[in-house]
Amino acid sequence: MNKYYLLNYMKKLLIPLLLLLPLHAYADTSVYIEGQLNYNNPKDVSTNEINGVEGNITYSDVKIENKYDSETDAGFEIGLANIADTNFRLGLSYTKTSFKLDKSMLSGTLTDGVTTLTGGVDITPADWASVGITFDNDVKLYMSNVYYDFDINENFKPFIGLGMGMADIENAKDNREFTYSGTVGARYFFNEKVYLGGKFAYSVINGPEDQFGIEYDDIDLYTTSLILGYEF
């Protein structure tokens, strides 16, 4: 990703926080930061039907469904809580996960003129490597999130949230794909500052086009997180 584009995008995400920061001086608005341990489970990722020549590969009625392994990765979030004495929070989050291919189900036929892969059987990462293709990807998510905290008691606070942002996909032709998410979770405060919690997020990444010219359906990503945070 172009670093200047990324800096400009993060600047736009930071504007809401910068505008709201003065509230901290006049109300109960607080700043929070949290670390996250994320268990990411991508749903099977399917391509559109492919015909013709892309690069040195000839495709004939090809559709590919990729199954990825689940991965555990880290992330973090910063934001504002109790905005203007309400139960709303606004946060900016960064998470990274690796999409490591387990196997593919291929229909149709593809060839590089030397090696031919024909559908009807599972295709391994080694099989793809034989024709110069990899479906492994590192995916970075940059999200702006809005949450609503429910006041169960002083210590226990369930929440719901919505987010939107972008996904930086390593091997995508345009590695900036719009992403949106929904979240449910809860935080437990040990005191006024420190909390431990968990959350579940369902994210949808707009279907990318990879460097081989293959177009994908939207990608569904399920993330379960353990969070540890501090409010200032």
Side-chain angles (χ1 to χ4, degrees):
M1 169 180 291
N2 184 296
K3 65 180 181 179
Y4 298 106
Y5 180 93
L6 177 58
L7 288 172
N8 186 55
Y9 184 86
M10 293 306 294
K11 180 176 69 175
K12 291 180 180 179
L13 288 181
L14 283 169
I15 286 174
L17 283 180
L18 295 176
L19 291 175
L20 289 170
L21 277 174
L23 294 174
H24 182 54
Y26 301 103
D28 290 334
T29 302
S30 58
V31 178
Y32 72 90
I33 183 168
E34 65 182 36
Q36 304 169 355
L37 183 64
N38 302 312
Y39 179 73
N40 294 295
N41 182 22
K43 189 178 178 182
D44 295 352
V45 179
S46 299
T47 69
N48 297 331
E49 186 171 288
I50 315 162
N51 282 286
V53 179
E54 297 287 351
N56 65 332
I57 308 294
T58 301
Y59 299 90
S60 301
D61 300 322
V62 170
K63 281 202 74 172
I64 305 166
E65 183 174 283
N66 290 332
K67 180 178 178 61
Y68 288 93
D69 293 325
S70 299
E71 297 287 335
T72 301
D73 299 282
F76 69 90
E77 179 165 316
I78 60 173
L80 299 176
N82 307 314
I83 295 173
D85 297 328
T86 72
N87 288 8
F88 285 99
R89 281 188 288 133
L90 176 65
L92 303 178
S93 66
Y94 166 83
T95 58
K96 177 183 177 181
T97 184
S98 298
F99 281 30
K100 298 296 184 184
L101 183 67
D102 177 27
K103 60 183 179 181
S104 300
M105 177 59 71
L106 171 71
S107 62
T109 301
L110 61 86
T111 181
D112 65 354
V114 177
T115 303
T116 298
L117 300 179
T118 301
V121 296
D122 289 342
I123 306 297
T124 68
D127 293 329
W128 288 120
S130 70
V131 293
I133 293 176
T134 178
F135 288 108
D136 290 347
N137 277 292
D138 286 336
V139 178
K140 302 172 184 177
L141 294 177
Y142 303 88
M143 303 292 290
S144 55
N145 306 297
V146 176
Y147 303 100
Y148 185 85
D149 294 314
F150 296 93
D151 286 327
I152 301 300
N153 56 50
E154 290 184 359
N155 300 102
F156 183 65
K157 297 184 182 296
F159 61 85
I160 57 174
L162 296 173
M164 65 178 183
M166 72 170 188
D168 175 1
I169 305 174
E170 179 185 14
N171 290 317
K173 186 175 181 179
D174 180 2
N175 55 2
R176 301 181 293 270
E177 298 294 342
F178 176 72
T179 305
Y180 60 92
S181 66
T183 304
V184 294
R187 302 185 295 165
Y188 181 83
F189 283 78
F190 296 100
N191 51 44
E192 292 183 353
K193 302 292 186 181
V194 180
Y195 62 87
L196 182 70
K199 65 180 182 179
F200 173 80
Y202 167 63
S203 304
V204 178
I205 302 171
N206 270 14
E209 179 181 346
D210 69 17
Q211 295 175 352
F212 304 104
I214 300 173
E215 295 181 355
Y216 294 81
D217 294 336
D218 291 349
I219 300 171
D220 296 326
L221 177 64
Y222 302 90
T223 304
T224 304
S225 304
L226 177 68
I227 56 179
L228 177 64
Y230 186 88
E231 284 196 6
F232 297 89

